[in-house]
């Protein structure tokens, strides 16, 4: 019996040893899934940021901020001198500070380029919001950048001619290439060449930009890289569905570092890894790449890193951010706002993400529309706004301040009252509903839509033969919103339009932000 027990114990120890060895192997494998000989291995770390609008930390300094990106980058450089810091589009706009006037001109992303230069970004691509700013300002930002640019399908239109955007330094113009080939080496001279393609979705169709077909452009670019690079990577600003489609069409892609969506995600599409970090640097993705130059085998380990209070901000970058925030604060106060004033403690967050506001009726926009209603001089039947006027693209929680309202509505704008026929109002609402997914999707107060697609105005079925008095944000009345070109004061079915030029200085209709702040301070929700 004792001999039997001893034998069982002996077998048990062997099993434990075997399992421990497996655990150690698995742990080692997780750190470096290919046990490559050091002299034949080139390692690279890519730091991925996307959709970055706020240079300062958010949530009372607890998350995000350029200074935390710099700290992560500095730590990675201590681990490996081969660090590539990239931006997957959307950074020059939108932001509150970008709309402000300083030293005679609008800032329009100047603060972002200044800070990104100091952080040490290496490579960026266009996002759709880069084309929010005018052509001349965009060119200034490109010229001011110390980082490189790449774009596979975006072209500049000059005198009806399509050509690459360019960067001009000291009078010398260099075209932004459709691809980038970046070499990295180890201390023994072994070289890894990565090829970068960079598509952007055609979501912002301004007259100085041409978008070539995304998938055709990427496929052609990858074909040109196939014989000259070891790994192919996309620095992409597409929606998730198109990123997945791109991966399926191009299995040669090893990694897609994406943007546009604002929530972190990671997908495996065949051999391709797709990652997106949280917007506003609430998180970043860190990709550790190992490549064996002899076997041609590679390992990519992608880790999401939360930029929270555990990461101490870089002091030098924090100082530059503080300078820009001081400028912002000064200009805002000169405009008559108190950015630090707390308006309300939210029991539930306001979902002000584009994904929500541009696809369904949202509480945050309803609150803004209610504020518009309250500000009217003649009791309005309803208020309507375009969802694209809200640019914060974030969950607003905790204590809501004047600054939160300002960054949510950076372009401000006046509130206009008008009379409109029921027939035209129905047409506006139908088109606004069909504009789902874009900034032309309409939001409102005292309007609802039944399951049978009937419109209710203040609880009553919309009467096409009736006239309604409504409030709208002034942009909506320019005819520039998607599919609403007929919505202008010249339309004979629109009458009694209030004149912004006659508004007194104390009139809340002069600036929708004043109306919202006043509404919240008086207990409105």
């Amino acid at each position: 019996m004792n001999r039997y027990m001893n034998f069982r114990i002996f077998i048990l120890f062997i099993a434990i040893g075997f399992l421990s060895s497996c655990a150690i192997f698995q742990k080692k494998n997780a750190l470096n899934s290919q046990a490559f000989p050091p002299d034949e291995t080139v390692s690279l770390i890519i730091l991925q940021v996307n959709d970055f609008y706020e240079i300062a930390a958010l949530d009372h300094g607890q998350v995000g901020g350029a200074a935390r990106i710099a700290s992560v980058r500095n730590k990675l450089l201590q681990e490996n001198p081969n660090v590539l810091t990239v931006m997957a589009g959307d950074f020059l706009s939108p932001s509150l500070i970008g709309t402000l006037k300083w030293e005679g001109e609008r800032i329009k992303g100047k603060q972002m380029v200044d800070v990104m230069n100091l952080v040490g970004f290496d490579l960026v691509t266009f996002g759709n919001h880069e084309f929010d700013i005018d052509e001349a300002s965009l060119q200034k930002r490109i010229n001011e950048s110390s980082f490189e640019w790449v774009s596979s399908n975006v072209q500049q239109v000059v005198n009806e001619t399509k050509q690459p955007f360019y960067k001009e330094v000291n009078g010398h113009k260099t075209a932004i290439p459709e691809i980038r080939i970046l070499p990295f080496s180890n201390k023994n001279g072994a070289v890894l060449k990565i090829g970068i393609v960079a598509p952007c979705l055609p979501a912002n169709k301004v007259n100085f930009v041409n978008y070539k077909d995304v998938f055709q452009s990427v496929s052609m670019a990858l074909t040109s890289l196939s014989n000259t690079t070891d790994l192919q990577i996309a620095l992409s600003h597409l929606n998730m569905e198109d990123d997945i489609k791109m991966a399926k069409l191009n299995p040669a892609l090893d990694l897609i570092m994406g943007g546009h969506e604002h929530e972190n995600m990671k997908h495996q599409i065949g051999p391709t890894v797709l990652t997106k970090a949280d917007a506003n640097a609430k998180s970043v993705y860190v990709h550790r790449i190992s490549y064996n130059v002899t076997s041609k085998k590679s390992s990519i380990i992608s880790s999401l890193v939360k930029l929270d209070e555990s990461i101490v901000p870089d002091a030098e970058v924090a100082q530059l951010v503080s300078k820009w925030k001081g400028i912002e604060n000064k200009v805002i106060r000169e405009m008559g706002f108190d950015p630090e004033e707390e308006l309300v403690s939210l029991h539930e967050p306001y979902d002000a993400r584009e994904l929500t506001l541009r696809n369904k009726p949202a509480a945050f926009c309803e609150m803004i529309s209610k504020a518009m209603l309250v500000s009217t001089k003649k009791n309005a039947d309803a208020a309507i706004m375009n969802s694209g006027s809200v640019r914060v693209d974030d969950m607003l929680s905790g204590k809501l301040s004047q600054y939160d309202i300002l960054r949510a509505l950076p372009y401000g704008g006046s509130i206009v009252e008008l009379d409109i026929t029921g027939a035209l109002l129905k047409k506006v609402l139908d088109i606004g509903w069909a504009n789902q997914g874009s900034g032309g999707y309409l939001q409102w107060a005292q309007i609802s839509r039944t399951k049978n697609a009937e419109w209710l105005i203040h609880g009553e079925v919309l009467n096409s033969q009736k006239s309604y008095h409504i409030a709208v944000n002034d942009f909506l009345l320019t005819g520039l919103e998607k599919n609403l070109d007929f919505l202008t004061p010249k339309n004979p079915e629109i009458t009694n339009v209030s004149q912004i030029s006659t508004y007194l200085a104390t009139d809340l209709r002069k600036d929708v932000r004043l109306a919202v702040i006043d509404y919240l301070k008086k207990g409105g929700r």
Side-chain angles (χ1 to χ4, degrees):
M1 186 72 173
N2 289 337
R3 292 175 66 183
Y4 177 71
M5 286 296 294
N6 289 339
F7 179 75
R8 291 185 64 186
I9 292 170
F10 175 73
I11 294 299
L12 179 62
F13 273 111
I14 290 175
I16 291 172
F18 176 76
L19 291 173
S20 298
S21 297
C22 288
I24 292 169
F25 175 77
Q26 287 172 352
K27 184 176 181 181
K28 182 179 180 182
N29 201 43
L31 294 172
N32 185 359
S33 61
Q34 301 288 342
F36 300 143
D39 59 338
E40 298 178 1
T41 301
V42 181
S43 61
L44 163 68
I45 300 176
I46 304 181
L47 174 57
Q48 172 194 343
V49 184
N50 54 270
D51 304 87
F52 181 48
Y53 314 112
E54 298 289 343
I55 54 175
L58 299 173
D59 295 347
H60 305 285
Q62 296 179 58
V63 298
R68 284 195 173 98
I69 298 174
S71 290
V72 171
R73 181 177 179 274
N74 292 338
K75 187 175 181 181
L76 294 175
L77 282 167
Q78 293 174 10
E79 177 185 336
N80 187 338
N82 289 336
V83 173
L84 181 68
T85 305
V86 302
M87 175 73 74
D90 275 10
F91 55 97
L92 294 180
S93 175
S95 67
L96 171 61
I97 188 172
T99 67
L100 303 178
K101 203 168 187 178
W102 178 251
E103 296 182 338
E105 62 180 21
R106 300 289 174 187
I107 293 172
K108 293 185 177 179
K110 187 177 181 66
Q111 86 289 354
M112 190 62 73
V113 172
D114 196 22
V115 169
M116 287 172 62
N117 284 343
L118 184 58
V119 170
F121 275 85
D122 299 297
L123 184 65
V124 306
T125 193
F126 295 110
N128 54 291
H129 283 309
E130 266 61 77
F131 307 118
D132 287 348
I133 63 178
D134 62 279
E135 186 175 10
S137 297
L138 175 59
Q139 189 62 59
K140 287 181 181 179
R141 300 297 87 86
I142 294 173
N143 296 347
E144 291 161 0
S145 63
S146 59
F147 40 83
E148 298 301 325
W149 296 68
V150 60
S151 180
S152 297
N153 72 309
V154 172
Q155 296 175 305
Q156 187 176 20
V157 179
V158 180
N159 297 325
E160 299 185 358
T161 300
K162 300 166 187 175
Q163 61 189 41
F165 278 86
Y166 65 90
K167 182 176 180 179
E168 183 173 0
V169 179
N170 298 324
H172 179 68
K173 294 182 180 180
T174 304
I176 293 175
E178 295 182 356
I179 58 174
R180 287 276 182 184
I181 299 176
L182 305 177
F184 297 89
S185 60
N186 65 13
K187 61 183 179 180
N188 298 309
V191 177
L192 159 67
K193 289 184 179 179
I194 63 170
I196 304 285
V197 297
C200 177
L201 78 168
N204 199 346
K205 297 183 179 180
V206 294
N207 58 9
F208 65 90
V209 177
N210 176 65
Y211 298 91
K212 295 191 294 182
D213 181 84
V214 167
F215 304 109
Q216 187 179 51
S217 298
V218 168
S219 293
M220 290 177 65
L222 287 171
T223 298
S224 70
L225 290 171
S226 61
N227 295 322
T228 54
T229 57
D230 304 303
L231 296 176
Q232 288 81 48
I233 296 174
L235 184 60
S236 168
H237 197 85
L238 305 176
N239 59 46
M240 182 184 66
E241 292 78 10
D242 283 345
D243 273 322
I244 291 173
K245 180 179 177 181
M246 177 172 62
K248 289 179 177 178
L249 289 172
N250 301 282
L253 276 171
D254 296 281
L255 173 66
I256 299 173
M257 300 181 294
H260 195 58
E261 275 88 9
H262 286 200
E263 297 75 38
N264 75 78
M265 63 182 73
K266 182 180 179 182
H267 298 285
Q268 184 79 43
I269 308 102
T272 309
V273 176
L274 163 64
T275 61
K276 304 193 185 199
D278 294 290
N280 278 325
K282 291 182 178 179
S283 69
V284 295
Y285 253 103
V286 174
H287 307 282
R288 289 178 172 85
I289 299 173
S290 293
Y291 179 77
N292 183 275
V293 296
T294 301
S295 67
K296 309 298 183 186
K297 292 182 179 180
S298 62
S299 166
I300 302 177
I301 297 174
S302 303
S303 306
L304 185 74
V305 178
K306 294 286 186 179
L307 300 196
D308 54 25
E309 289 181 292
S310 67
I311 297 174
V312 179
D314 177 82
E316 187 180 9
V317 174
Q319 186 176 10
L320 181 58
V321 169
S322 180
K323 170 201 160 185
W324 279 108
K325 293 299 288 183
I327 293 170
E328 179 185 59
N329 190 61
K330 182 178 185 297
V331 175
I332 288 172
R333 290 184 182 279
E334 289 173 351
M335 293 167 62
F337 294 100
D338 179 3
E340 296 175 0
E341 183 186 14
E342 294 177 352
L343 303 172
V344 61
S345 291
L346 298 175
H347 299 296
E348 293 183 7
Y350 272 129
D351 186 348
R353 297 172 299 168
E354 284 186 5
L355 181 68
T356 299
L357 306 189
R358 299 186 178 199
N359 287 283
K360 60 184 178 181
F364 186 66
C365 288
E366 183 181 20
M367 180 274 291
I368 295 170
S369 300
K370 286 179 178 177
M372 292 167 60
L373 277 176
V374 170
S375 74
T376 57
K377 299 305 178 184
K378 177 183 174 183
N379 289 336
D381 298 300
I384 303 174
M385 61 179 286
N386 61 315
S387 59
S389 61
V390 178
R391 307 309 289 268
V392 66
D393 210 352
D394 204 356
M395 296 289 290
L396 300 177
S397 60
K399 294 179 179 179
L400 200 66
S401 66
Q402 280 201 27
Y403 184 76
D404 290 315
I405 300 304
L406 293 171
R407 72 186 185 101
L409 297 163
Y411 299 115
S414 300
I415 300 165
V416 180
E417 296 182 53
L418 55 89
D419 292 329
I420 184 171
T421 65
L424 186 61
L425 178 57
K426 182 181 184 305
K427 181 179 178 180
V428 168
L429 294 174
D430 285 341
I431 290 173
W433 188 263
N435 278 343
Q436 189 175 39
S438 74
Y441 182 79
L442 299 181
Q443 298 279 351
W444 49 68
Q446 294 186 177
I447 296 176
S448 58
R449 189 174 189 268
T450 69
K451 292 181 179 179
N452 297 323
E454 273 191 321
W455 292 105
L456 305 181
I457 309 298
H458 215 339
E460 298 182 358
V461 176
L462 187 153
N463 185 344
S464 296
Q465 305 303 313
K466 183 180 175 181
S467 178
Y468 292 90
H469 187 68
I470 65 170
V472 299
N473 57 316
D474 59 358
F475 177 77
L476 203 53
L477 205 58
T478 63
L480 297 176
E481 191 50 272
K482 182 178 180 181
N483 300 320
L484 292 170
D485 55 312
F486 57 86
L487 193 59
T488 73
K490 294 181 179 180
N491 191 313
E493 294 185 71
I494 296 174
T495 56
N496 299 321
V497 179
S498 60
Q499 300 301 308
I500 296 172
S501 59
T502 65
Y503 293 173
L504 301 176
T506 55
D507 195 329
L508 295 177
R509 295 177 301 171
K510 285 183 69 70
D511 192 318
V512 65
R513 298 171 296 191
L514 291 172
V516 172
I517 289 167
D518 184 74
Y519 179 71
L520 290 171
K521 288 171 72 170
K522 291 177 179 177
R525 297 295 180 266

